[in-house]
Amino acid sequence: MKLVVRVIEGRNLPPMDPNGLSDPYVRLQLGKQRFRTKVIKKSLNPKWDEEFSFRVEDLNEELVISVMDEDKFFNDDFMGQLRVPVSLVFEEDIKSLGTAWYTLTPKSKKFKNKESGEIRLHIYFSQKSASVESNVNGDLLFHPRKLADSATESPSRSSTGHSSSSSPLREDIVSAKDEKSGTQKTLTGRIAQIFNKSSDMSSTPSRRSIDSDQSEISKAEISEITTEDQSTPQSTNETFEEAMRKMQSADQGSEIPSNLPLGVFIDQHYIIAPEDLNKFLFSSESDFLKSLTEIQGNTELQIGPWKFENGGESFKRLVTYVKAPSKLIKAVKAYEEHTYLKADGKNFAVLASVSTPDVMYGSTFRVEVLYVITPGPELPSEEQCSRLVVSWRMNFLQSTMVKGMIENGARQGMKESFQQYADLLSQTVKPFDLKDLSSGKEQALASLHAEPQSDWKLAVQYFANFTVVSTIFMGLYVLVHIWLAAPSTIQGLEFVGLDLPDTIGEFVVCAVLVLQGERMLRLISRFIQARARKGSDHGIKAQGDGWLLTVALIEGSNLASVDSSGFSDPYVVFTCNGKTRTSSIKFQKSNPLWNEIFEFDAMDDPPSVLDVEVYDFDGPFDEAASLGHAEINFLKANISDLADIWVPLEGNLALAVQSKLHLRIFLDNTRAGNVAKEYLNKMEKEVGKKINLRSPQTNSAFQKLFGLPPEEFLINDFTCHLKRKMVLQGRLFLSARIIGFHANLFGKKTNFFFLWEDIEDIQVIPPTFSSMGSPIIVITLRPGRGTDARHGAKTQDQQGRLKFHFQSFVSFGVAHRTIMALWKARSLSPEQKIKVVEEESDTKSLISEESGGSLLGLDDVSMSEIYSCALPIPASFLMELFSGGELDRRVMEKSGCLNYSYTPWVSENKDISERAVYYKFEKRVSSYKGEVTSTQQRSPLLDGKGWLVEEVMNIHGVPLGDHFNIHLRYQIEDSPPKAKGCRVQVLFGLEWLKSTKNQKRITKNIQQNLQERLKVTFSLAEKELLPK
């Protein structure tokens, strides 16, 4: 028998974090069985909607439910708990406590009066067989043939739906004759008590006393909590169409769910309206699932009715079937649940969940498949079309060593099934390809014709207003008056030819006539200027070879007005990579129709964003007023989706009336595959270092990591640390359009990127103790930019500019030069580039020049021999001292280095590798116990008979340690064949960063100390390696 607990939601939970919120999750325990829900970030009223199943062996056990707050760096905080005796659920007539709110209580009686919030649960006994104990999310077409190697069963956790089918209870009933009077503790004893009512049991089962302070539920409370929803899905007689209309009216403009991470099985356009495709695939009256079941050889298909649950918040149905047997696995029963995530009449999203508990390890994972139906581009035939995207992911509820095997098996099976799914759908609904639709973009733009505008018609439309009419009337009135009136006599200061107003009334009339005349002249001037621009940039063909951007401006909707007329004179300005295109002006329109096409000349660099600004030509102060703006990010949008798109405008005026623009955008690259290579060649000249073209697999992984389009390519990546409140080690990725950071620390991923155009300034801070002797690159973004990367910023100033700190680069020089070169190429004007070059000259002392000789700059330091010896060990053996292995660590620790750590060797040039090293001195080595951060480089000698190791050391925590750097050069070369060994020569030099009168004293002290350490180090290495 199974005890099923459905954790629905919580409310009024106590805040546990400094931001006044919590990250709550629920932990459930019955005996030794433990489960937990997902974590809901930053919420005091979380919704989990998850279901768990427990095996019950003792009815005197208690179900303990604890609500916890997740903490990243410390122990999770306790928020409240609830204790429910299992016997209390079993003794109910319907074996269920229903759906109810339960009050959480503190863990200790000392906090008895503390509010801990409430949790909504549905607790009941399930008499279904083990075959339905797990309801794992997935797809109706999930193919489990590859799962045969998994072989463990565990208590199941299921999704929110309930199976509509049940199997008989398979528990042995213990005869009443074998039962003794008194307490009965076993589950079989309880069942025997129910089914053998005639037995002469002399006493009732004893119950554990219920302490109200521990939030245990008394039987008297049942009458209160069972009055709420009894967990049975709300039955409805509504048709599928009525339910869709109900969901459409309840939709609050939620976003369409993004594709699930494990991949896309179907991404196809079909010539059918979105609502019709949704009905065909998911309506209960549709025969699509039945036909699919027959094709795949499945049997016993049962399609449950669609039902509203949780007070109409969710719309679900359950589908069960028996999956056809394969070569590796027998026929298994699958339980699938469909849940609508969105239905607004045009966009539909359905999450499918499948459970196959009969397969081995079937209760340890769930598969989730997302069906998304959205409107497709406009067809020349004016038929409606839809886009269907099917993506999937796997959710492992418990860890397993065969996770990869299960995932690969599921992928292969689902790939075959969805191929059959697509084939069957194509037999009924006609698919089409966007390439066939437009033959590029010519057909999509061929139907667009700019609306012919007659100057006389526009003049009548523009001048038909009160100002013009009243001015004409007043002018005619004055002319008639002059014609009828007799000339007045000259008086006052008047003379022949000058007739001044004789009264205040005449003065006011004259003033009104002058003002009206001025307004009339201004209107005429604006009209003439606007008509002079009537051609705009429409129809101008793009020139050159490279990235070609074409924008078709079709129409606007609900454009705002800045005056009392309710209309505006809008025009649109498009800006991309510093180039602009301007549309014509539409007079007195709130829903203007343009049908104009704009082409940008070929760009060498791939564009990142297209800025769209809508202006009113006739503003309130004779200036163009902004009616709204939008930004189209080519890195976040699919190019095919931009072929026909309505873009919502932002801004106070636009948001008030929900203004939109209808655009068609096409981005083509005429250089095809040469673009990456040409761009890298150009960057090599700026960086001064060879940049290799990455493999397609590497570029594909980079694109997937940050969700970038296929045309984005990786230029370089560096290991570094991101400085926030805590230092986070990861990798910095550089491409033509973005700079991104990725880290995966103990399973917690940090991932963000921003555009080069978003960067306002890049500065270099000298090395500090906290940066392990490495300079810090500080990147400052423009105000309001990079909001998606806010979680990676160290600070934000009062102007809203985010600042990112990157440090501890293994190769700072190459990283800095590459970043500066890409930034200058993308976002700086020629004047700004000159300024940056001047500023760079002030920071050259911070950057290790890595071309022309030693990459660490050792050639600039005077070197002298400090130690030499001959060892009976081959040079290749002795190099293990610098390999980063166990010998390296053991020798360094024995020579007086504590907390010794290092980074892996990273190849910087063809034969040169680098790594960073960190350790502390023992007191016997240095009385100050200073810390050392160093960068080491190794390279083979020119004759190939040895190695050269160069090292730059920074010492922290000692007097005057910031005044110098220590430079060492280890030359290890094989002795002649007869000598059988190697010769070691160590050169030493000091690079003074600041002057001091104690230079000679410091140099002598360091030289003596190093000689002793080197002698100890190589003697220890000889002892360790000699047996080899």
Side-chain angles (χ1 to χ4, degrees), residues 462 523 526 529-530 533 558-573 582-592 594 612-629 649 653-654 659 661:
Y462 185 72
L523 287 174
R526 289 194 193 100
Q529 292 177 18
R533 291 174 46 185
N558 298 327
L559 298 187
S561 173
V562 294
D563 55 29
S564 59
S565 67
F567 299 98
S568 57
D569 303 327
Y571 67 95
V572 184
V573 177
T582 305
S583 74
S584 62
I585 300 172
K586 298 297 180 182
F587 293 106
Q588 301 296 297
K589 299 284 186 180
S590 60
N591 297 288
W594 277 283
V612 183
E613 191 84 27
V614 183
Y615 293 102
D616 178 25
F617 184 74
D618 187 11
F621 304 105
D622 298 338
E623 295 180 0
S626 176
L627 302 180
H629 61 88
L649 299 180
L653 292 174
S659 302
L661 285 181

Side-chain angles (χ1 to χ4, degrees), residues 398-413:
Q398 300 175 17
S399 60
T400 170
M401 296 179 64
V402 293
K403 177 180 177 181
M405 186 180 300
I406 294 175
E407 189 173 297
N408 291 334
R411 179 183 285 107
Q412 181 62 31

Side-chain angles (χ1 to χ4, degrees), residues 809-810 856 914-917 933-937 950-954:
F809 289 90
V810 174
L856 285 175
E914 285 189 6
R915 72 168 182 174
V917 176
T933 58
S934 71
T935 301
Q936 294 179 348
Q937 286 185 348
E950 299 171 315
E951 183 176 14
V952 176
M953 301 171 58
N954 306 98

Side-chain angles (χ1 to χ4, degrees), residues 38 56 264 400 446 457 924 928 941 949:
K38 61 187 176 184
V56 178
V264 175
T400 170
K457 184 178 180 181
R924 62 183 174 86
Y928 297 100
L941 296 177
V949 179

